[in-house]
Amino acid sequence: MSYNLLKGKRGIIFGALDPNSIAWKTAERVHEEGGTFVLTNAPIAMRMGQINELAEKTGSQIIPADATSIEDLENLVAQSMEILGGKLDFVLHSIGMSINVRKGKHYTDQNYEWTQKGTDVSAMSFHKVMQTLYKADAMNEWGSIVALTYMAAQRVFPDYNDMADNKAYLESIARSFGYFFGKDKKVRVNTISQSPTPTTAGQGVKGFDGFIAYADRMSPLGNATALDCANYTVTLFSDLTKRVTLQNLFNDGGFSNMGVSDSVMAEFVKE
Ligand code: NAI
C-alpha cells in the first residue's frame, strides 16, 4: 500500500546488492511512496550485483562509490544533487562488511588489518558520508539520515565477531554527528536495529540459521523482515517523524526486551 509519504523528496540509497538486500526493498518502497533517489554501491559490488534492474524499475540513476573514499563520496553527493535537481531529503546507509567474519577468523584471533578495513567500511564510512553531506550543505532542513545496525552493539552474540564493535561505533557516530546535524542544519540522524535477515551480509555470519530461528522464537511478533525494515525507514524519511533523532530504534518483533519466551523455554523443560 502506498501513502505518498515521500512525494517530492530526494535522496541517496547505499547498499542495494541484490533483491534480498534491505536497501533494495527500501528503494522499492521509497519509490512507491513517491521519493526519487540515486542508487550507489561499491564499484566491485556493482559488477557482481543486479543493481541495473533496480535502477530501471525505480527510474533511478546509479553512481558507483566506495563509501570509504572521500573523493568518491564528494563526487556522489555533488552528482546526486545535480541529477535530482536540488538538495537531499533522505540518505540510507545500508553497508556492512567484516573480513574476519568472511574468512572465519575468530574474535580472539583477529587479523587487525582486516579488522581495520571492516571498521572503515561498516562504521567510519557513516561518518564519512555525513561529513561529506554536511560540508557540501547537501541536506534540506528536516531531512533524515538512517543507518542500519544490529543488537550485538549492546549484547553479546559471539559469532557476530568484530561486527559487534563496528555496530557500537556506528551507533555512537549517529548520536555524535546527529547532534551537529540537528543543531546546525535541522537534519535528523537515527539507526534502525534490525532482526537477523537472510541477505548476503546476514548469511555470512557463522551459524546464521540457528541465529535467525532463535530470534524468531524469542520475539513475540517474530523477526522483522527486510520489507518491515524498509517500511520503518520510510516512516523515518517522512515528515511524520520530524523530531525523532539521535535514536537507536529497534525493529525486531520485540526481541530486544525479551528475557525468554515460552517457545524457547520449552526446549529446556523436561516433562
Ligand atoms: P547486503 O549484503 O545485501 O548489503 C550490504 C551492502 O554493503 C552491499 O550492497 C555491499 O556491496 C555494501 N558495501 C560493502 N562494502 C562497501 C563499500 N566499501 N562501499 C559501499 N558499499 C559497500 O546485506 P544487508 O543485510 O542488506 O545489509 C545492510 C545493512 O543492514 C548492513 O549495515 C548490515 O550490517 C545491516 N543489518 C543486517 C542484518 C541482517 O541480518 N542481514 C541485521 C541487522 C543489520
Side-chain angles (χ1 to χ4, degrees), residues 7-236:
K7 194 163 176 249
K9 294 196 187 293
R10 302 180 272 247
I12 300 177
I13 297 182
F14 288 80
L17 180 67
D18 59 40
N20 294 323
S21 298
I22 298 170
W24 186 290
K25 295 274 186 297
T26 309
E28 289 178 334
R29 285 295 294 118
V30 169
H31 175 62
E32 283 168 14
E33 294 295 337
T36 54
F37 47 84
V38 161
L39 292 166
T40 183
N41 209 325
I44 172 104
M46 266 175 201
R47 286 199 290 277
M48 308 177 325
Q50 301 151 264
I51 198 167
N52 284 324
E53 196 186 302
L54 180 65
E56 226 166 89
K57 199 171 161 184
T58 58
S60 312
Q61 292 201 36
I62 305 167
I63 302 176
D66 176 346
T68 65
S69 157
I70 294 293
E71 197 187 331
D72 283 10
L73 291 172
E74 284 173 350
N75 174 58
L76 168 69
V77 168
Q79 275 204 53
S80 298
M81 286 197 285
E82 216 171 287
I83 291 168
L84 298 168
K87 289 205 213 181
L88 310 173
D89 302 292
F90 60 85
V91 174
L92 175 67
H93 177 287
S94 183
I95 299 170
M97 192 279 302
S98 158
I99 308 176
N100 289 305
V101 167
R102 214 196 278 161
K103 302 214 172 180
K105 201 87 175 130
H106 196 264
Y107 187 76
T108 57
D109 182 33
Q110 302 276 288
N111 173 324
Y112 290 114
E113 268 176 38
W114 296 351
T115 308
Q116 226 157 16
K117 180 74 190 151
T119 303
D120 197 15
V121 170
S122 308
M124 209 185 301
S125 66
F126 191 38
H127 194 288
K128 290 178 176 175
V129 166
M130 286 200 280
Q131 186 166 295
T132 306
L133 292 163
Y134 182 93
K135 284 188 174 173
D137 197 21
M139 296 295 295
N140 277 321
E141 281 195 357
W142 304 110
S144 173
I145 301 172
V146 169
L148 300 182
T149 186
Y150 182 58
M151 211 185 60
Q154 289 83 32
R155 299 195 189 165
V156 178
F157 292 85
D159 290 331
Y160 207 65
N161 210 319
D162 57 332
M163 277 305 288
D165 305 329
N166 293 336
K167 291 305 193 191
Y169 183 14
L170 177 89
E171 291 175 18
S172 177
I173 289 171
R175 287 185 293 270
S176 303
F177 218 122
Y179 168 74
F180 295 104
F181 242 132
K183 185 174 68 84
D184 300 341
K185 319 257 188 199
K186 288 200 168 55
V187 168
R188 57 206 194 272
V189 180
N190 296 288
T191 49
I192 295 179
S193 187
Q194 165 70 7
S195 293
T197 313
T199 62
T200 304
Q203 277 162 332
V205 177
K206 195 173 135 217
F208 183 77
D209 289 349
F211 204 50
I212 194 170
Y214 170 74
D216 197 48
R217 286 177 63 177
M218 276 291 278
S219 312
L221 297 180
N223 286 335
T225 64
L227 178 60
D228 292 328
C229 189
N231 283 328
Y232 196 16
T233 303
V234 164
T235 69
L236 289 175

